[in-house]
């Protein structure tokens, strides 16, 4: 697709930021299991934490296509940093913008868009991942609000976040209509970081198990209406899948660029390995799958930005892009030969980082279910 001047400008800004502020340090952050807060602060400064939020609330006021283009570039630098960016932008900021009132936007949206506050999305539980309606966390009503008790897992920025979006059951007898969404400060008593997970990839950000132990929230902190929690969660996940597709392309592109550079320099049997058909054809296949994945996520983003239903297109984009990322990163290791297996070269990190794209925001198996369901409607 042809991009607008604004979309090109934001993509290029994110590309320059990633190359300057992320790429040179990503290997160290991977080893240290953290990203410096100073780097996150710079992301706030350049508008990466609220790309689609109107300027009135501190955002960049750009469209959704601009956001996913920027997401691809940040993921090119480091997938963990891209996840931090994703949590603030969508689901959390997008949900508050869509369902929040002015008071909530003042207290929660502004800080996570331009005020330096990080956000976390607390939906998944030990017994409820892809089946979001099966959550067991409870919020019981008290005179001055609600008290929340439960356990959440796989929470991006769970330890470093300042603001949490929490999903809990307020009416156990109402089924899917009994889930409510709450906004809370993580410094509130009852928000407990149980552990930081040790992960295969995305090591620069913290992914945590969180215990909610009699966490008190006010009725004014309900996002949307009571019982709309699942609706809010699913709308966020739909948007998030397009973002995951963009992340997949970003990591895949980084692996491809590394493989292409190596293939041009490495010589065997008197010529660069790119001139051997076996390697040249592999690179051609990698480039083709990446571009196809990019066009799929851009198509879904255009539909989303225009307000059209895009469940099938978003699922197709995530499914294909996640599988393309695995193929491309694996092939990049193959191009490097034995060196690709060493931490001295970046492709082993790209391979580790991409694997979760087939799991979070709905596994690829769930994406196939959603696509099949949409096909039945045609």
């Amino acid at each position: 697709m042809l991009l607008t001047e604004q979309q090109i400008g934001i993509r290029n800004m994110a590309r320059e930021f990633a190359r300057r502020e992320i790429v040179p340090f990503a290997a160290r952050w991977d080893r240290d299991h953290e990203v410096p807060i100073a780097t996150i602060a710079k992301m706030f400064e350049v508008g990466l934490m609220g790309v689609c939020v109107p300027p009135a609330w501190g955002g960049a006021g750009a469209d959704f296509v601009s956001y996913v283009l920027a997401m691809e570039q940040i993921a090119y630098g480091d997938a963990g940093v891209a996840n931090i960016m994703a949590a603030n932008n969508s689901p959390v900021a997008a949900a508050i913008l869509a369902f929040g009132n002015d008071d909530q936007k003042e207290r929660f949206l502004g800080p996570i868009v331009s005020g330096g506050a990080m956000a976390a999305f607390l939906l998944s539980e030990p017994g409820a991942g892809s089946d979001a309606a099966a959550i067991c966390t409870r919020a019981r009503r008290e005179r001055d609000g609600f008290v929340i008790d439960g356990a959440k897992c796989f929470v991006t920025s769970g330890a470093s976040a300042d603001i949490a979006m929490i999903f809990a059951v307020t009416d156990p007898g109402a089924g899917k209509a009994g889930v409510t969404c709450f906004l809370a400060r993580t410094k509130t008593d009852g928000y407990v970081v149980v552990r930081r997970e040790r992960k295969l990839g995305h090591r620069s950000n913290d992914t945590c198990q969180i215990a909610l132990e009699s966490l008190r929230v006010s009725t004014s902190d309900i996002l949307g209406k009571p019982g709309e929690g699942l609706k809010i969660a699913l709308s966020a996940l739909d948007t998030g899948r397009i973002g995951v597709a963009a992340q997949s392309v970003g990591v895949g592109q980084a692996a491809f660029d590394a493989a292409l550079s190596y293939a041009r320099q490495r010589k065997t049997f008197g010529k660069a390995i790119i001139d051997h058909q076996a390697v040249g054809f592999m690179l051609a296949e990698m480039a083709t799958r990446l571009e196809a994945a990019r066009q799929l996520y851009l198509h879904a983003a255009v539909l989303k930005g225009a307000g059209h239903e895009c469940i099938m297109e978003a699922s197709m984009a995530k499914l294909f892009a996640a599988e393309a990322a695995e193929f491309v990163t694996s092939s990049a290791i193959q191009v490097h030969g034995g060196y690709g297996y060493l931490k001295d070269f970046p492709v082993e990190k790209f391979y580790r980082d991409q694997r979760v794209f087939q799991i979070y925001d709905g596994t690829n198996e769930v994406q196939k279910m959603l696509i099949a369901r949409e096909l039945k409607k045609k």
Side-chain angles (χ1 to χ4, degrees):
M1 62 172 284
L2 297 177
L3 304 177
T4 66
E5 289 187 10
Q6 182 190 53
Q7 291 163 353
I8 293 171
I10 290 177
R11 180 200 64 188
N12 291 347
M13 176 276 292
R15 175 181 291 164
E16 292 168 7
F17 183 92
R19 299 326 192 259
R20 181 182 69 251
E21 303 289 347
I22 300 176
V23 171
F25 315 107
R28 185 174 78 227
W29 298 344
D30 181 69
R31 291 192 301 269
D32 295 344
H33 295 262
E34 66 178 354
V35 56
I37 192 64
T39 301
I40 304 301
K42 291 177 182 178
M43 293 177 69
F44 277 101
E45 291 173 7
V46 299
L48 287 169
M49 302 302 261
V51 178
C52 300
V53 176
W57 299 108
D63 64 357
F64 188 67
V65 171
S66 297
Y67 165 64
V68 289
L69 286 168
M71 178 60 68
E72 177 188 335
Q73 297 304 319
I74 299 304
Y76 183 103
D78 181 72
V81 175
N83 257 352
I84 295 171
M85 174 183 166
N88 271 48
N89 278 271
S90 177
V92 181
I96 298 173
L97 186 64
F99 297 94
N101 55 43
D102 285 350
D103 173 65
Q104 290 170 334
K105 291 174 183 176
E106 185 72 31
R107 290 187 294 122
F108 297 107
L109 182 60
I112 66 171
V113 167
S114 59
M118 291 172 62
F121 185 74
L122 280 68
L123 176 62
S124 294
E125 297 181 3
S130 295
D131 184 6
I135 65 172
C136 295
T137 296
R138 294 289 188 264
R140 69 179 188 277
R141 183 179 288 274
E142 291 199 348
R143 185 175 56 185
D144 58 345
F146 289 82
V147 176
I148 304 176
D149 288 281
K152 299 292 183 178
C153 61
F154 303 125
V155 180
T156 296
S157 302
S160 54
D162 304 283
I163 292 170
M165 180 176 288
I166 303 170
F167 295 86
V169 176
T170 49
D171 185 354
K176 294 182 179 180
V179 179
T180 298
C181 180
F182 298 90
L183 298 170
R185 301 278 177 177
T186 61
K187 301 301 186 289
T188 304
D189 289 341
Y191 183 96
V192 180
V193 179
V194 176
R195 60 176 287 173
R196 293 180 56 149
E197 304 291 2
R198 305 288 287 183
K199 299 171 293 183
L200 177 68
H202 294 233
R203 294 176 176 175
S204 57
N205 75 358
D206 56 283
T207 301
C208 302
Q209 292 183 23
I210 303 295
L212 304 170
E213 300 175 349
S214 297
L215 176 72
R216 295 182 178 274
V217 292
S218 167
T219 54
S220 63
D221 294 333
I222 293 177
L223 184 64
K225 299 176 182 178
E228 286 190 331
L230 198 58
K231 171 185 173 183
I232 293 171
L234 294 179
S235 69
L237 290 175
D238 182 37
T239 302
R241 285 164 183 155
I242 305 174
V244 173
Q247 291 178 21
S248 301
V249 174
V251 173
Q253 188 68 55
F256 173 79
D257 287 353
L260 181 61
S261 176
Y262 184 81
R264 286 171 171 162
Q265 299 171 17
R266 178 79 163 98
K267 293 183 177 181
T268 61
F269 304 104
K271 58 183 178 181
I273 61 173
I274 194 173
D275 293 323
H276 294 291
Q277 189 178 76
V279 175
F281 278 14
M282 189 182 303
L283 290 165
E285 180 74 9
M286 293 161 70
T288 301
R289 294 199 193 191
L290 277 176
E291 189 56 33
R294 181 177 290 113
Q295 294 305 317
L296 275 173
Y297 91 62
L298 286 173
H299 175 60
V302 169
L303 293 176
K304 184 71 177 180
H308 297 302
E309 186 176 280
C310 60
I311 296 172
M312 184 168 71
E313 290 80 4
S315 292
M316 284 180 169
K318 181 188 183 298
L319 172 66
F320 186 87
E323 291 181 349
E326 180 162 31
F327 173 82
V328 171
T329 55
S330 178
S331 297
I333 290 176
Q334 196 70 18
V335 169
H336 281 72
Y339 291 113
Y341 205 67
L342 305 180
K343 286 188 177 293
D344 296 19
F345 289 77
V347 289
E348 66 85 28
K349 176 183 181 295
F350 300 142
Y351 186 79
R352 289 188 286 106
D353 282 342
Q354 62 78 27
R355 189 58 187 85
V356 76
F357 296 142
Q358 296 185 50
I359 298 173
Y360 64 20
D361 279 66
T363 66
N364 274 22
E365 290 72 28
V366 167
Q367 306 314 310
K368 293 175 184 178
M369 290 169 54
L370 293 171
I371 294 166
R373 185 184 302 167
E374 293 302 304
L375 290 173
K376 286 175 64 177
K377 298 177 183 179
K378 291 185 176 294

